Amino acid sequence: MSSKYPVVLIAGDGIGPEVSDAVVEVLKAAGAPLEWISCDAGLAALGKGKDVMPEETLDAVKKHHVALKGPCTTPVGKGFTSVNVQLRKKLNLFAAIRPVRSLDGVPTRYEDVDLVIVRENTEGLYSGVENRITSNVVTTLKIATVEGTERIAKRAFEYVQKRGRKKLTVFHKANIMKMSDGLFLDSVAKLHKDFSDVPYDTQIIDAGCMKLVQDPTKFDVLLMENFYGDVVSDLAAGLVGGLGVVPGSNIGFEDAVFEAVHGSAPDIAGKGIANPLALLMSSVMMLNHMYEKYGDKQIHAAAESIKAAYNKALSDGEKTGDLGGSLGTQEFAKAVISRLS
Ligand code: NAD
């Protein structure tokens, strides 16, 4: 019999607890051998008198190395540093990997979208360094380092090579931000020497976005700095059915935190209608990561079974409201559970 593997669970805010509950139920029904270590972050932590990103939560991820995270809300304009920025920086989760794929049963303008966005997660405009220069002038610093740009370029090339993907396209604005985006491009060119079998090209981001919405099937793996990655992830989600269907991972050298691309969706929180699929897909990415790490076949079987079950549920027309269906969060989870092999 398999042992149980510890996973830190951060349920999050807004729709976070609803979608996390649904996902935990599906994982349990699929026989995933996991032991949940529940930790707080965001408003949930503040409500208990803790910091928005408590040290104990960071320590738990450092100890167990894997976490599943719901979306967290950072109170705006109250001096709090973003929960997500803190988590990604303090744990050095420098690569966000976000697969964006067309799904059977989710009709959209394009049928064969199969993109992966690799977003640098710790630098760029998300440095958190902002200054008031005068009463009328404020600045936000965009940071690019050799270390940060080289490690994300290496990770992106490795991803393309290891997964047998076709090519890497780098989105940038080095024509304007000659130094920061220029360094990003220089690092990609430098690292390409170690991955000369991986085709890569570059696109100025504005033209790249236009081409992406005109025909996303022309792209494969996209690499970009932090802010561009944030925006392009949501844009790409819109090509395949929205934020309810795009999963993600934040990966460093030691630790990995899996979470959907979407936020806490305060407009629908507490209504029981949020789509848990993006977090469920993120949990499948997590199981695959754990299978690579531990080699336990029970983990692999659970991942395969969940993936087949949600694909079947969607093609049977079992969908939440954001995808044109009528199921609530729990009902969709039950539809998946009833299709587990
Ligand atoms: P959002 O992703 O929460 O919502 C955008 C729109 O998509 C809303 O209309 C929402 O109802 C819809 N939506 C999102 N997820 C959905 C789901 N699973 N099912 C159905 N519909 C869904 O973006 P926002 O409104 O810009 O941000 C809300 C809050 O979330 C902010 O506080 C923001 O900082 C936070 N946020 C957190 C994360 C994270 O924790 N990783 C990411 C993005 C935003």
Side-chain angles (χ1 to χ4, degrees):
M1 191 177 131
S2 294
S3 48
K4 287 203 165 191
Y5 300 90
V7 173
V8 174
L9 178 67
I10 302 168
D13 301 313
I15 60 170
E18 300 163 49
V19 292
S20 302
D21 281 354
V23 169
V24 168
E25 271 177 43
V26 176
L27 285 162
K28 193 172 159 203
L34 308 177
E35 180 200 345
W36 296 107
I37 319 285
S38 284
C39 290
D40 297 311
L43 294 183
L46 269 187
K48 292 182 184 169
K50 302 177 189 171
D51 187 54
V52 283
M53 179 40 73
E55 279 302 321
E56 68 208 44
T57 300
L58 293 169
D59 288 344
V61 182
K62 281 182 202 158
K63 179 172 176 198
H64 301 295
H65 303 301
V66 182
L68 184 66
K69 175 183 165 293
C72 290
T73 304
T74 307
V76 178
K78 299 196 177 133
F80 295 107
T81 307
S82 159
V83 176
N84 299 308
V85 172
Q86 282 197 61
L87 183 78
R88 292 166 193 170
K89 282 180 138 180
K90 290 188 174 166
L91 297 175
N92 234 345
L93 305 171
F94 63 89
I97 312 275
R98 297 169 162 185
V100 181
R101 291 193 190 109
S102 302
L103 293 161
D104 283 347
V106 183
T108 53
R109 189 178 295 261
Y110 306 101
E111 283 181 357
D112 301 313
V113 179
D114 181 7
L115 301 166
V116 178
I117 294 167
V118 180
R119 166 187 175 186
E120 201 293 319
N121 237 354
T122 58
E123 304 194 325
L125 278 174
Y126 289 48
S127 63
V129 184
E130 297 197 292
N131 288 299
R132 179 169 292 286
I133 307 299
T134 69
S135 57
N136 291 327
V137 179
V138 292
T139 61
T140 299
L141 215 61
K142 173 160 169 160
I143 294 180
T145 66
V146 170
E147 185 196 1
T149 52
E150 287 191 1
R151 71 185 178 186
I152 192 68
K154 180 165 186 276
R155 185 58 61 87
F157 280 125
E158 280 169 353
Y159 185 91
V160 177
Q161 198 174 60
K162 199 165 150 197
R163 307 279 169 138
R165 301 288 307 205
K166 292 193 274 292
K167 72 166 179 181
L168 185 68
T169 300
V170 187
F171 277 10
H172 68 92
K173 193 79 186 174
N175 49 326
I176 303 296
M177 282 162 272
K178 296 181 197 313
M179 293 191 74
S180 53
D181 282 16
L183 174 60
F184 199 94
L185 287 184
D186 287 349
S187 292
V188 175
K190 180 175 168 198
L191 267 292
H192 186 243
K193 294 191 174 80
D194 300 332
F195 298 90
S196 50
D197 56 322
V198 177
Y200 97 94
D201 61 9
T202 63
Q203 299 258 338
I204 294 179
I205 185 160
D206 37 355
C209 284
M210 186 265 297
K211 289 180 189 164
L212 193 58
V213 295
Q214 269 185 333
D215 188 358
T217 62
K218 294 242 160 65
F219 293 88
D220 190 41
V221 180
L222 298 169
L223 166 65
M224 59 204 86
E225 65 89 79
N226 211 337
F227 176 56
Y228 307 153
D230 193 3
V231 177
V232 173
S233 296
D234 279 35
L235 182 154
L239 300 170
V240 295
L243 288 166
V245 298
V246 179
S249 58
N250 303 293
I251 304 199
F253 292 115
E254 299 278 329
D255 308 317
V257 176
F258 295 81
E259 64 175 340
V261 168
H262 65 71
S264 52
D267 52 338
I268 56 166
K271 296 183 179 164
I273 58 171
N275 190 351
L277 184 53
L279 189 64
L280 186 61
M281 293 165 108
S282 309
S283 78
V284 169
M285 290 176 77
M286 178 185 86
L287 292 174
N288 288 331
H289 168 87
M290 294 174 76
Y291 176 56
E292 271 183 33
K293 194 167 161 176
Y294 303 118
D296 186 325
K297 290 200 174 75
Q298 199 181 341
I299 297 179
H300 184 60
E304 292 292 299
S305 159
I306 294 168
K307 195 173 169 192
Y310 68 64
N311 280 328
K312 180 85 173 66
L314 292 176
S315 47
D316 288 347
E318 304 277 22
K319 293 185 275 192
T320 46
D322 56 312
L323 301 180
S326 58
L327 300 186
T329 312
Q330 283 297 329
E331 288 168 310
F332 180 74
K334 288 197 174 76
V336 174
I337 289 171
S338 69
R339 287 166 176 79
L340 289 167
S341 53

